[in-house]
Amino acid sequence: MSGPIALHWAPQAASPPPPPPVVPSWSPVELIESIGVPHGFAEYVVWPAVQLALILFVVLTAVAYLTYLERKVAAFIQARLGPMRVGPVGLLQPLADGLKLLSKEDLVPAGADRFVYLAAPVLAVTAALGLLVLVPFGAAWGTVTDINIGLLFLLAVASIGVLGIVLAGWASNSKYALLGAMRSSAQLVSYEVALGLALVGPLLFARTLSMQEIVESQRFTGLWWVAVQPLAFVVYFIGSLAETNRAPFDLPESESELVAGFHVEYSGFRWSLFFMAEYANIIITSAIAATVFLGGWSMPGLETAVSWIAGTDATTPLYSTAFTLLSIGVFAGKVLVLVYVVMWVRWTLPRYRYDQLMDLGWRWLIPVSLANILISAFAFLVAMRPDQGGLLGLVEVTKNGLWMGWAGTAYFLLVNLATFAMAAWLLAKLNKTAWSTDLHALRRVEALRRAGRLATAEEARAE
Amino acid sequence: MLTTVLTISGLMFALGVAGVLTRRNIIVIFMAIELILNAANLNFVAFSRYWASIGGISPHTGEVFAVFVMVVAAAEAAVGLGLVIALYRNRGTVSVDDIDLLKW
Amino acid sequence: MYPDLQSSPWFLGAVIAFGLWAVATGSVVITAQRPVHAALALVSALMAVAGLFAVLGAEFLAGAQVLVYVGGVMVLFVFVIMVVGGGRKTAEVEPVSGVRFLAATVVVLVIGGSIVLGARSAQPAFELRPGPRAAASKDAVRAGVSRNTEDVGTDLYTRAALPFEVASLLLLVAIVGAVVLAKGRRVEQDD
């Protein structure tokens, strides 16, 4: 591949790649060791247990307050006040809700498959909470573990939670729940394809599946992958809405047609388990989006901010602590923004019809993400250095990640904007008949029809 | 070590064959076939590991093979379940004992 | 950074534990009365196999196994079970009659026994040193983290490029076939 076809006039990456960004070396493991705990035990048992307890506490509280936030956002969008009675501005509402749910009876409907019925919500919530282990909440010691198939593992375990929903609907022995479960399984299988394919685009740039390394790669290149993969981000976001059963894709639990879909028969604590799983899944898909597309816990100026607080010596405990806490803050901020967008979408868009949902998944998202992979890979191949098998030498593959100068950055931005425009245009052409996804037009047509019917009725009465 | 993994895979294979031979529900038969395929995959991975440990060249061949087995399994499940749905629509049953039109 | 799992005595324990889990749930698959229970047991067995893959150092396969089987194939299975009326008790109860039970036992004994005996007689040393490729990539970004995904990917796209393309063709055929089969004649009547 390399050699004679190299174009020597091509702009090379302007400067040699910089050293990898600094990662603080101190971790609280040393603190635990200093009180006499043996090393392996401290690093692999005690400290992860502390982290997990902290994460579970924080995330479960967050889940409880997400329900509050959801109601407040809904109220804000519908010009209401939302919960106001329990505590100041309703802040204790989640607590009251939780107590109420805990004190309710745990019903099992007659004719239900008891074992599956009882196990399904546990399956859903276990899968959702199990994912938290791999989310890179922050730099250095802000993350529990980092495995080499991190992203793949996240997707895989997330798909186990899907089974919880499907089985819950089946086991309830109720036609509404069964319909919800069937919709759910078809929807999730369809959108998982688009979701996975959308993640391949940024992975071309990150060159790893490990969550922490994906963040590091963006930090090293100095670019968030959403900049070079805008199309993939859009597809991922839509896919994640469908994957978490959120509006406008909340067909499995659509309350206006299926009562509550798959969890219609559940009550009390098991019902709240489903809600916990749903909100935890929202947090996790947002966290994956933040990690893969929005730079994770990294942020331009993060290192500078840390050095204001803790100096520049990366080996001190103070530096490590400041770095970790700030990075966790950055990550939480990004995730919260995404979660807000998810809620905003829910209270803005009407629910898709089932055929429209399938249309969107199979005729828009999957082709778009496939085209995105193809074009991105081709553009990447062209831009690589000649001795690494490329042509233009705009981007260099180094040990720590991709190194591209301003020329490379501009090239990828241009290519991906062009991809975005081309994909939108091409799909609009190809899917000319798929007008059914245009809800606006549909509503207009419906209004016109109704006007026509009214007119004929009027005429009939006049005669 | 290798023998342990091979024993597990052998047992899974036997269970799969037993399931195919004894069950009547065609969906469960498909599931038993998945068990058989997984037993084969386990063998592939175990031998790949073994091959790597004795320093053989290209130590990941077995894993690549397993990937292809998964592809075939997915394709088989898709077509097979499509068949089941078509069958159920036409005959109203998924019991292999009742699907005997070709016998006569 | 990470303990070398595969050289520790825990390794054999993990293999045996996952193996027992796989075999136990596998036997539930072929004996469960309701297809949905069989599907649940199969999910469990497939995850045990994924655990075995991970213990054996094939992390990518472990992830792919859960993603493809649990996320895709098994959801399809459950979907079809629901379509063909898995909710109705009468349709799904499937008593294992005596003859069938006997056949199952004989099959398990003969096949399992011969495979186990064959495996025993071979007795090759299964040392779990890291393979040459893994040893060579020690200067990877994070030493100690397995590069299994990278290695499998390299193999898949270089040495196995042709089978890979053929496999994609097979999947395409399968998609078309599944759509044609499942849609049936009903669509023609509609049009």
Side-chain angles (χ1 to χ4, degrees), chain A residues 43-44 111-116 119 123 145-149 152-153 155-157 159-160 162-163 166-167 169-170 173 178 181-186 188-189 192 207-210 212-213 216 354 399-401, chain C residues 1-3 34 36-37 39-40 43 47 58-68 70-76 78-79 81-83 85-89 92 139-142 145-150 175:
Chain A
E43 187 171 357
Y44 297 113
D113 189 319
R114 197 180 164 82
F115 171 71
V116 180
L123 191 65
T145 187
D146 179 33
I147 62 174
N148 61 333
I149 52 160
L152 189 66
F153 189 87
L155 287 178
V157 177
S159 59
I160 298 175
V162 171
L163 268 180
V166 175
L167 289 173
W170 175 80
N173 192 28
L178 187 68
M182 287 174 69
R183 284 182 179 189
S184 175
S185 49
L188 294 165
V189 166
E192 206 169 61
R207 304 176 74 78
T208 172
L209 285 170
S210 136
Q212 199 66 268
E213 277 179 42
E216 291 285 355
Y354 193 71
K399 213 169 61 168
N400 303 305
Chain C
M1 177 162 179
Y2 291 83
R34 293 180 155 200
V36 168
H37 291 176
L40 257 182
V43 166
M47 285 172 67
E59 294 96 354
F60 173 73
L61 265 187
Q65 165 98 357
V66 179
L67 188 69
V68 172
V70 180
V73 174
M74 287 321 292
V75 173
L76 272 185
V78 175
F79 181 76
I81 290 172
M82 289 192 297
V83 168
R88 275 176 294 145
K89 247 182 175 171
E92 77 207 26
D139 65 334
V141 184
R142 296 159 71 102
V145 174
S146 153
R147 312 298 299 179
N148 175 266
T149 309
E150 212 175 341
I175 292 175

Side-chain angles (χ1 to χ4, degrees), chain C residues 25-163:
Chain C
T25 48
S27 47
V28 174
V29 171
I30 63 164
T31 52
Q33 295 286 302
R34 293 180 155 200
V36 168
H37 291 176
L40 257 182
L42 184 56
V43 166
S44 186
L46 294 172
M47 285 172 67
V49 173
L52 275 173
F53 286 169
V55 174
L56 288 171
E59 294 96 354
F60 173 73
L61 265 187
Q65 165 98 357
V66 179
L67 188 69
V68 172
Y69 273 112
V70 180
V73 174
M74 287 321 292
V75 173
L76 272 185
F77 267 103
V78 175
F79 181 76
V80 172
I81 290 172
M82 289 192 297
V83 168
V84 301
R88 275 176 294 145
K89 247 182 175 171
T90 47
E92 77 207 26
V93 172
E94 189 182 33
V96 177
S97 63
V99 177
R100 283 166 188 269
F101 188 72
L102 199 68
T105 319
V106 168
V107 163
V108 172
L109 283 182
V110 170
I111 297 185
S114 59
I115 290 175
V116 169
L117 282 181
R120 286 281 155 216
S121 67
Q123 287 290 358
F126 191 45
E127 289 177 28
L128 286 149
R129 288 182 270 113
R133 187 89 66 90
S137 60
K138 270 287 180 228
D139 65 334
V141 184
R142 296 159 71 102
V145 174
S146 153
R147 312 298 299 179
N148 175 266
T149 309
E150 212 175 341
D151 294 343
V152 173
T154 311
D155 264 21
L156 198 57
Y157 293 124
T158 52
R159 297 176 56 243
L162 181 66

Side-chain angles (χ1 to χ4, degrees), chain A residues 126-137:
Chain A
T126 312
L129 295 182
L131 291 172
L132 292 172
V133 181
L134 281 174
V135 174
F137 289 99

Side-chain angles (χ1 to χ4, degrees), chain B residues 29-102:
Chain B
I29 291 178
F30 270 122
M31 290 187 204
I33 292 176
E34 299 293 337
L35 269 185
I36 296 176
L37 289 171
N38 266 275
N41 264 357
L42 201 54
N43 261 4
F44 274 128
V45 173
F47 277 114
S48 159
R49 190 75 203 144
Y50 172 66
W51 186 237
S53 75
I54 60 170
I57 47 162
S58 58
H60 297 285
T61 311
E63 294 174 32
V64 172
F65 250 100
V67 171
F68 288 124
V69 173
M70 275 187 204
V71 170
V72 173
E76 173 251 323
V79 176
L81 292 176
L83 274 173
V84 171
I85 287 188
L87 190 68
Y88 182 73
R89 196 170 34 234
N90 288 327
R91 307 280 331 244
T93 178
V94 286
S95 170
V96 284
D97 284 352
D98 300 339
I99 308 163
D100 48 9
L101 268 186
L102 279 183

